[in-house]
Amino acid sequence: MKTISLIGLLIFAINVNAQDSKIWKEYVESKKNGTEPVLPDFSYAGYKFSEEAIPKVDYKVFDVTEFGAEPNDDKSDKAAIVKAISAAQRHGEGVIFFPRGRYIINGKGDDNSIIKLSSSNIVFRGEGQGENGSILFFENDLPPADPNKLWSVPYAIATAVRAGDKMLTRVVKDSGRETFQLEVADASAIEPGGWVILEMESNDPELVKSDLTPLEVDPKWTAIIEKGVKVKERHLVKSVKGNTVTFYDPIHYDIKIKYDWTISSFSHLENIGFEKLAFEGNWTLPFEHHASPKHNGGWSIVQINSAVNSWIKDCRFKNVSRAATFTQSAACTALNIAIEGNLGHNAIMAAGASTGILFARISDTAGSWHASGAGSGGTTRTVAWRCEHTTNTSFESHASQPRCSLLDNMKGGFFLGRAGGALQNLPNHGRYLVLWNYEETDEPEENFEFQSSKTWWWQMVPPIVVGFHGSGTTFKKEHIGYEESTGTSVKPESLFEAQL
């Protein structure tokens, strides 16, 4: 039985006329009987698997004004912020504190370097995300690392790890999805409480076909055809007995040893936080998708990379290109986030083979071209819980093999074409995309296609759609893996909460 903490999450009133979901009942019975459920277990998403509240840490405070920052003076505070971070990292932990006021980053005279966090236990904290709170203003955009690659603009603030990952052992026995245990050749380098990467890459035609079925393999999808199916799940080790490894969190892909599954170390940071801050960019032009590096990512703000148990909480982003992303990370949360101002490229996304990222109560009134969701790079167990976006955009699902994503009580636009991703990296989403009580707010469509006949830019393995309601959209039956209660919500009202 899981101990849970809904981290102060507001429980919404449910539709009293909602019916108990059949697929939910199947999930409950499967858990009781120890059989494989149809629904993935999404409950192990977020900081400490959402079993503990995000803490208010009491690390030593490093006030940026004591390192030379002066709010509201129209001069850059970047150097002072870097000095405060360096002092905190030498100390071994710290709160980088921003008293109320406006601080300038990437202003006149600043270089184009990014602000790096390279050690654990570092938290950026302000005195509120409102207009009278602590505002970090990013005056100028950053140039792309490669002028020929629109997507190569760096994030202004990013974490970085010094060590690399290395292969530890091979899996020697088949194991099913939604289980917790593996047999390996040699578990001597794996320790309880440690994080590891369970991974596989194979272009075996049989595997590629089974991964995409019932989608037909398009010859233009060269990444999955030539390089193969790529799975990279990040797991917390619960116990090691002999060569049996048990994880705290479930595996989400069927393990077949003929495809050479391995376990690698996972070099990461922990307890990186951003809280009670406003991040404001200077992005004011009308957005044009892929028009230039500036349009794509000139004001990209926060990247939490190679981290676990980290968070962005009670923050506001305004006039930015890409608010925040979690890459190569696990068990992290973005909670109570507002994205406003000028329309930009991305809201908040998981990317880079991240596992168990939770987006909770993201309000995107800017109408980002791609609303919150699973980005590129093979993410697993991404959960968007009670997030809202405007009618002019739709959820993110950015190809390069994302799998096992939950859109739970999402409210906003729903239409094809905003999933994103390059043609060679399709499909946009693999198995086990679950839409649960999604409320659509734009115009309805009849016989909506998840494998679009209108554009190559929207191709998905048939998802699980339960309780989709709002505008009145209906779905093309052969494009859905499982459909229930279209037109009205179901109980449980939130799949994520019920699984917790």
Side-chain angles (χ1 to χ4, degrees), residues 362-365 367-372 384-396 407-416 418 435-445 448 458 467-473 475:
I362 311 298
S363 174
D364 180 6
T365 58
S368 306
W369 186 265
H370 303 292
S372 298
W385 179 87
R386 302 193 187 280
C387 297
E388 295 190 23
H389 54 266
T390 53
T391 58
N392 65 302
T393 187
S394 189
F395 68 91
E396 170 83 294
L407 308 179
D408 187 357
N409 283 262
M410 183 170 273
K411 182 179 180 180
F414 178 87
F415 49 86
L416 61 80
R418 291 298 176 86
L435 282 66
W436 193 274
N437 282 344
Y438 193 117
E439 183 180 351
E440 182 184 16
T441 59
D442 64 315
E443 293 299 313
E445 297 181 54
F448 180 88
W458 181 272
F468 190 97
H469 63 285
S471 298
T473 286
F475 299 98

Side-chain angles (χ1 to χ4, degrees), residues 63-104:
D63 187 326
V64 295
T65 63
E66 296 177 3
F67 291 85
E70 293 186 29
N72 308 317
D73 67 351
D74 294 326
K75 295 179 181 179
S76 175
D77 301 290
K78 185 175 182 178
I81 295 168
V82 171
K83 288 178 183 177
I85 293 169
S86 296
Q89 292 187 154
R90 287 194 301 271
H91 179 69
E93 62 184 30
V95 172
I96 312 302
F97 180 62
F98 295 84
R100 296 181 191 280
R102 184 173 181 263
Y103 301 84
I104 295 177

Side-chain angles (χ1 to χ4, degrees), residues 164-366:
D165 306 325
K166 67 176 183 177
M167 200 273 276
L168 301 177
T169 188
R170 282 184 161 76
V171 179
V172 296
K173 186 177 179 181
D174 291 353
S175 189
R177 62 175 283 271
E178 302 306 312
T179 62
F180 295 78
Q181 204 168 77
L182 289 173
E183 296 291 327
V184 300
D186 180 5
S188 60
I190 302 173
E191 297 182 357
W195 284 88
V196 296
I197 302 171
L198 173 64
E199 56 188 318
M200 174 272 291
E201 181 174 351
S202 173
N203 65 354
D204 184 302
E206 179 185 2
L207 176 63
V208 173
K209 182 178 180 180
S210 68
D211 189 77
L212 296 177
T213 297
L215 294 186
E216 293 293 330
V217 181
D218 190 317
K220 295 175 183 176
W221 300 353
T222 53
I224 196 168
I225 293 170
E226 296 173 6
K227 296 181 181 179
V229 175
K230 297 175 70 172
V231 180
K232 236 181 181 184
E233 296 185 4
R234 298 166 198 272
H235 292 280
L236 178 61
V237 178
K238 184 175 184 179
S239 65
V240 179
K241 293 182 180 178
N243 287 324
T244 301
V245 178
T246 303
F247 298 139
Y248 274 99
D249 51 324
I251 300 161
H252 295 298
Y253 204 97
D254 278 321
I255 309 296
K256 304 293 184 185
I257 60 170
K258 64 181 179 180
Y259 299 126
D260 193 25
W261 287 82
T262 62
I263 290 182
S264 299
S265 62
F266 174 25
S267 299
H268 61 272
L269 304 180
E270 192 161 7
N271 295 324
I272 301 294
F274 297 86
E275 54 197 39
K276 296 185 177 180
L277 288 164
F279 301 91
E280 295 189 358
N282 208 7
W283 170 244
T284 57
L285 296 175
F287 177 78
E288 295 182 44
H289 195 226
H290 295 329
S292 70
K294 181 176 287 192
H295 280 261
N296 262 39
W299 280 270
S300 300
I301 307 302
V302 175
Q303 182 182 44
I304 294 182
N305 176 60
S306 297
V308 303
N309 295 327
S310 297
W311 63 90
I312 306 171
K313 179 185 177 185
D314 300 329
C315 289
R316 176 173 60 90
F317 294 84
K318 182 178 180 180
N319 296 338
V320 300
S321 308
R322 298 182 291 182
T325 185
F326 295 85
T327 59
Q328 302 179 83
S329 295
C332 295
T333 296
L335 170 65
N336 294 339
I337 307 298
I339 302 168
E340 61 185 39
N342 195 32
L343 188 156
H345 193 182
N346 296 87
I348 297 185
M349 64 178 175
S354 290
T355 303
I357 306 301
L358 171 64
F359 304 130
R361 294 209 303 260
I362 311 298
S363 174
D364 180 6
T365 58

Side-chain angles (χ1 to χ4, degrees), residues 125-180:
R125 181 180 295 158
E127 290 192 287
Q129 66 270 44
E131 296 294 337
N132 296 317
S134 303
I135 300 171
L136 277 59
F137 176 64
F138 299 80
E139 186 170 20
N140 296 308
D141 61 308
L142 292 178
D146 183 338
N148 297 316
K149 295 179 179 178
L150 300 177
W151 61 89
S152 67
V153 177
Y155 283 76
I157 304 172
T159 63
V161 294
R162 298 185 178 93
D165 306 325
K166 67 176 183 177
M167 200 273 276
L168 301 177
T169 188
R170 282 184 161 76
V171 179
V172 296
K173 186 177 179 181
D174 291 353
S175 189
R177 62 175 283 271
E178 302 306 312
T179 62
F180 295 78

